[in-house]
Amino acid sequence: MTSITSTDDVLTTGDGVRKPVLDRPMSPLTLLIFGGVLAVGLFFTAFSIWRDVSAAGVAVKSALPFILLGVALLIALGFEFVNGFHDTANAVATVIYTHSLPAPVAVVWSGMFNFLGVLFSTGAVAFGIVSLLPVELILQVGSEAGFAMVFAMLIAAIIWNLGTWWLGLPASSSHTLIGSIIGVGVANALMRGRDGTSGVDWNKAIEIGYALLLSPVVGFVCAAGLLLLMKLLVRKPELYTSPKAHGAPPAWIRGLLIFTSAGVSFAHGSNDGQKGMGLIMLILIGTVPTAYALNRALPESEVASFIQTSEAASKAVEAVAGGHHVIGDPRPIVTAYVASHEFTDGTLPALAALIRDVAAQVSQHGSFASIPAASVGNTRNDMYLASEAIRFLQKDKAAALSKDDLAALAAYKKHLDMATRFIPDWVKVAVAIALGLGTMVGWKRIVVTVGEKIGKTHLTYGQGASAELVAMGTIAAADHFGLPVSTTHVLSSGVAGTMAANGSGVQMSTVRSLALAWVLTLPCAIALSAFLFVLFRQIERFI
């Protein structure tokens, strides 16, 4: 019979292996601080919206848009909260199971760096995720269909994340959200009588899919290789055996593990936190377009540069169009190109006309902040449509654009994105609080899976350091290139890689469960979000 002795932070089994204590409840002071931060975060969010709406001079005629806004924001922040305890548990598992930090300290440490990661994020991942959505729903995000889209995506992602968390499976929140987006796109296309495959930007989906597919492979191979390299260069056997009773990690390895835990948490916040930001911006644009459709913080001097690049872009497109012109509204032609990616003789003339129209709208008012409430939504839609059309034209060989033409369009697109693809600081703070607080609850299930159930032996110092270093580097690189990756997949596959490299072996039952969750996440999220989208659209007809 195995005897167990206990201290405040670890349990020691009869064979001398130390396991961390994970069942300690939150103290009343911790609960008080948690509730206080949550209350301050909600108040700060509400105050920021009120301030922005007042500054924009929005006339409040009905409470309904603000009720919808509040519900949508709570669901979006709820997704980030669940993401916090679902995904970030991976970042603390290694530092807890190598006894570098007690579990309560580790989760607070991780939560703090998740918070900072969100605050310093670039926004590239946020709008990369949004680009997967059907263009017609983005252009009508304030409609019933737009709200059905946002609610279906977020609720489907939350349901799947909670289900896999309850089973202790480290499934990917990124994987889940992308499946939800694809499900909405397919359902929307079928409801409009089109082929289901036409409802998604598959080029972007494949690009993101490659990142999600390759990141676990990178985690497994690189973590295994790094551990083998460490064994070759650092010949200290205690780094590659299970932590023993009354032993503490060497100071330098403990410092490295704490640093890499912070790095993974920061990278996770910077990458995963952006997914909620992009959806929150869609919610704000749909409910309060006057305040959030365009970046009101841009200086008036930006207008002159915008008009200049607009002129250069329209001339470049017109020259390639060969003198052809569009009679009537150019928007349906440009929208059709963005939705189908099928280049026609009317694509370039229509885009040139749209570019001139947008320039006229902006120059008429002198600044982005001066565009009236009745027009700002339409101006934003025109700018977004032009930006997306240029994004596809840049890769479309049928357009036959020269390097100079592409340079002119790229300069113009940069100004369009400055005006439409922005994230207010308060949105970052709200998401950071949700993700940071989420890190501090519900983490135990995933931590136990990563720390005890992937390998056949206890996690060693060297394995923890190798897995964390690779995860930190992989997620940071993906964030730099604007690609969403799964913290869960990268770190859990990294731990498995170190187990294989160390000759420890892996628990195949856990690996099969992880693989099953990985395989099922995408189709289940697609089906769930598609069902919810159709359900919400049907409910709208009876309201």
Side-chain angles (χ1 to χ4, degrees):
M1 186 175 184
T2 301
S3 62
I4 297 176
T5 58
S6 174
T7 65
D8 287 344
D9 297 323
V10 297
L11 295 172
T12 304
T13 61
D15 56 3
V17 176
R18 304 165 71 218
K19 289 188 176 182
V21 175
L22 303 177
D23 294 324
R24 183 179 299 156
M26 284 189 180
S27 67
L29 178 60
T30 302
L31 289 172
L32 183 63
I33 294 173
F34 184 93
V37 172
L38 179 62
V40 169
L42 291 174
F43 174 79
F44 175 74
T45 300
F47 172 78
S48 299
I49 294 171
W50 172 81
R51 180 193 59 199
D52 291 347
V53 167
S54 299
V58 178
V60 180
K61 299 179 181 179
S62 170
L64 181 60
F66 294 95
I67 294 174
L68 286 174
L69 173 61
V71 172
L73 284 178
L74 284 176
I75 295 175
L77 292 173
F79 167 76
E80 288 296 346
F81 183 86
V82 173
N83 188 2
F85 66 74
H86 186 274
D87 278 24
T88 313
N90 295 277
V92 298
T94 55
V95 79
I96 290 174
Y97 271 86
T98 55
H99 313 303
S100 298
L101 285 176
V105 177
V107 294
V108 172
W109 177 256
S110 177
M112 181 174 65
F113 280 93
N114 262 285
F115 181 90
L116 293 175
V118 176
L119 291 185
F120 288 97
S121 59
T122 62
V125 173
F127 295 109
I129 289 288
V130 170
S131 296
L132 283 173
L133 295 168
V135 65
E136 61 266 21
L137 290 183
I138 293 179
L139 297 179
Q140 301 172 23
V141 71
S143 66
E144 292 85 354
F147 276 104
M149 169 187 72
V150 173
F151 286 143
M153 286 189 305
L154 289 172
I155 293 174
I158 289 172
I159 290 173
W160 184 255
N161 278 347
L162 286 175
T164 53
W165 165 79
W166 181 257
L167 296 173
L169 295 176
S172 166
S173 293
S174 302
H175 211 166
T176 304
L177 183 59
I178 289 164
S180 299
I181 290 173
I182 292 174
V184 166
V186 170
N188 178 67
L190 291 174
M191 291 180 73
R192 291 172 177 264
R194 303 201 310 263
D195 182 354
T197 59
S198 66
V200 178
D201 178 1
W202 289 107
N203 289 330
K204 188 69 177 178
I206 290 172
E207 177 186 337
I208 291 173
Y210 278 139
L212 288 172
L213 180 65
L214 292 176
S215 54
V217 178
V218 171
F220 185 96
V221 173
C222 291
L226 184 57
L227 180 64
L228 292 175
L229 181 63
M230 187 184 294
K231 282 186 169 184
L232 182 65
L233 299 178
V234 185
R235 298 181 180 274
K236 293 188 175 183
E238 65 270 19
L239 298 181
Y240 314 112
T241 56
S242 299
K244 298 300 181 181
H246 309 297
W252 71 273
I253 198 73
R254 184 180 188 185
L256 178 61
L257 285 162
I258 293 172
F259 168 75
T260 52
S261 174
V264 171
S265 300
F266 184 91
H268 174 267
S270 179
N271 193 281
D272 275 43
Q274 294 188 54
K275 295 156 192 167
M277 289 182 207
L279 298 178
I280 286 174
M281 287 310 300
L282 285 181
I283 294 167
L284 292 170
I285 291 165
T287 51
V288 200
T290 306
Y292 298 107
L294 295 176
N295 189 354
R296 298 172 59 85
L298 290 175
E300 292 187 9
S301 59
E302 171 63 20
V303 172
S305 299
F306 179 80
I307 300 301
Q308 183 179 358
T309 56
S310 299
E311 183 71 17
S314 62
K315 286 182 177 179
V317 174
E318 286 171 344
V320 180
H324 292 88
H325 297 282
V326 170
I327 299 175
D329 187 359
R331 292 165 185 80
I333 299 175
V334 180
T335 303
Y337 173 67
V338 173
S340 67
H341 309 162
E342 294 180 3
F343 184 85
T344 67
D345 291 339
T347 300
L348 291 178
L351 179 59
L354 183 61
I355 291 172
R356 290 195 303 272
D357 194 1
V358 171
Q361 293 176 53
V362 175
S363 61
Q364 177 184 355
H365 301 290
S367 71
F368 294 107
S370 300
I371 298 176
S375 305
V376 69
N378 291 331
T379 301
R380 192 258 175 197
N381 282 347
D382 288 348
M383 295 174 80
Y384 181 84
L385 189 58
S387 177
E388 287 295 281
I390 291 170
R391 180 167 70 90
F392 291 119
L393 279 173
Q394 290 172 328
K395 303 175 183 178
D396 197 334
K397 294 181 180 179
L401 297 170
S402 68
K403 288 185 178 180
D404 290 339
D405 297 333
L406 290 172
L409 289 176
Y412 175 59
K413 185 179 187 303
K414 180 180 178 181
H415 284 276
L416 288 173
D417 292 346
M418 287 172 61
T420 58
R421 301 191 176 201
F422 67 100
I423 299 174
D425 290 339
W426 71 262
V427 172
K428 290 187 176 184
V429 172
V431 170
I433 291 173
L435 194 64
L437 290 179
T439 302
M440 300 178 195
V441 300
W443 45 270
K444 179 188 171 183
R445 291 177 183 272
I446 306 298
V447 164
V448 170
T449 298
V450 175
E452 298 182 20
K453 297 181 179 180
I454 292 179
K456 292 183 178 180
T457 60
H458 195 287
L459 194 70
T460 68
Y461 304 131
Q463 289 173 323
S466 300
E468 290 273 16
L469 277 171
V470 169
M472 181 177 69
T474 303
I475 300 168
D479 187 42
H480 175 73
F481 291 106
L483 295 172
V485 294
S486 167
T487 302
T488 302
H489 288 164
V490 175
L491 194 72
S492 57
S493 62
V495 171
T498 63
M499 290 291 176
N502 204 41
S504 309
V506 296
Q507 297 187 39
M508 292 309 299
S509 59
T510 301
V511 172
R512 281 194 294 269
S513 297
L514 293 176
L516 186 63
W518 190 88
V519 170
L520 291 179
T521 291
L522 197 61
C524 288
I526 290 173
L528 187 56
S529 66
F531 168 75
L532 289 174
F533 180 73
V534 173
L535 177 65
F536 292 154
R537 293 305 312 275
Q538 295 301 318
I539 291 174
E540 291 164 9
R541 297 179 181 179
F542 297 99
I543 297 179

